[in-house]
Amino acid sequence: MVCSEMKLELGVYGAEMLVRVLMTAALLLTPPGMAAAQEPTPLEQFLLQYRCLVVDRLERIYATGDPEKYQDEYLIIDIPPHPETYVQCLFYAKKKLYCEAASGFFLNAANEPRTMRLPAGSIAALARLGFSTDDSNGNFRLDIDIADPPDFNAIADLMLKALRDAYGADADTKLRFQAPYAERATRKCVPTS
């Protein structure tokens, strides 16, 4: 039986319990002194939790075809219920990807004063990932030249690191995905949230 099929039969909570049991068994069988080196960092836990779900969607969005013909080849990942905690990326040409991290700029109507700004530490974290730091007219932006085929793992990690570093997401955070061409995860990535 394949692991993904086992997860489907066990259900989400049963699969989570199985993973915890297996991780505990692995820790118990690890020689003393090696356990600390093998324990995943919080970032690694977060990436392990969500990378497959993001890569799966990115692959299917990209496979849709010509971005100039299919103009909504995007993925938005947000942290509900907070309206200004999201990262979104759009394939807009065969070898181009445009990403934005929410700045709070669009939270209020154009004629209302701005009520949200990201803390300086969050903006600095986004800058380290390559995003612009100017939010005077919109979100923090990043335009990327991508290989053909794209490195979907690198794109997924960029999006997830932005969510973690700028908005505090972690492995326990429930993320929401919006993508017209990939609304649900496929069987290769059984969601755990």
Side-chain angles (χ1 to χ4, degrees):
M1 177 179 298
V2 177
C3 287
S4 63
E5 291 172 0
M6 183 183 300
K7 282 186 176 180
L8 288 175
E9 289 178 17
L10 291 172
V12 171
Y13 298 106
E16 287 178 0
M17 182 59 72
L18 178 62
V19 168
R20 288 186 184 135
V21 168
L22 292 173
M23 288 178 74
T24 302
L27 286 173
L28 292 174
L29 296 173
T30 303
M34 288 187 65
Q38 293 180 353
E39 189 171 315
T41 66
L43 173 59
E44 291 169 337
Q45 290 174 352
F46 181 56
L47 294 176
L48 286 170
Q49 175 81 8
Y50 284 110
R51 182 185 288 133
C52 185
L53 295 169
V54 177
V55 168
D56 174 54
R57 285 176 169 89
L58 290 169
E59 288 173 343
R60 290 185 290 139
I61 293 165
Y62 188 78
T64 300
D66 182 1
E68 293 178 25
K69 181 178 177 185
Y70 302 98
Q71 296 182 358
D72 48 1
E73 291 188 34
Y74 65 83
L75 172 61
I76 301 171
I77 308 171
D78 67 7
I79 306 170
H82 311 289
E84 281 297 314
T85 55
Y86 64 85
V87 174
Q88 59 188 5
C89 290
L90 166 76
F91 293 102
Y92 70 93
K94 186 70 176 165
K95 295 183 180 183
K96 297 294 278 183
L97 184 73
Y98 177 77
C99 296
E100 290 185 337
S103 66
F105 183 86
F106 297 106
L107 189 59
N108 302 98
N111 59 346
E112 294 177 5
R114 190 163 169 185
T115 59
M116 184 198 160
R117 293 187 187 275
L118 250 56
S122 294
I123 296 170
L126 289 170
R128 285 190 296 275
L129 293 170
F131 285 87
S132 69
T133 57
D134 179 11
D135 66 346
S136 60
N137 289 312
N139 289 325
F140 303 105
R141 298 163 307 284
L142 176 60
D143 197 76
I144 305 169
D145 293 320
I146 54 175
D148 188 14
D151 182 348
F152 296 111
N153 283 314
I155 298 168
D157 286 1
L158 170 77
M159 294 181 81
L160 292 168
K161 285 177 182 177
L163 285 165
R164 183 175 189 278
D165 296 349
Y167 312 110
D170 62 24
D172 294 325
T173 303
K174 304 300 180 194
L175 300 180
R176 180 173 50 193
F177 301 91
Q178 299 171 50
Y181 297 112
E183 277 298 321
R184 300 200 184 281
T186 62
R187 287 184 171 223
K188 78 177 188 178
C189 296
V190 177
T192 58
S193 64

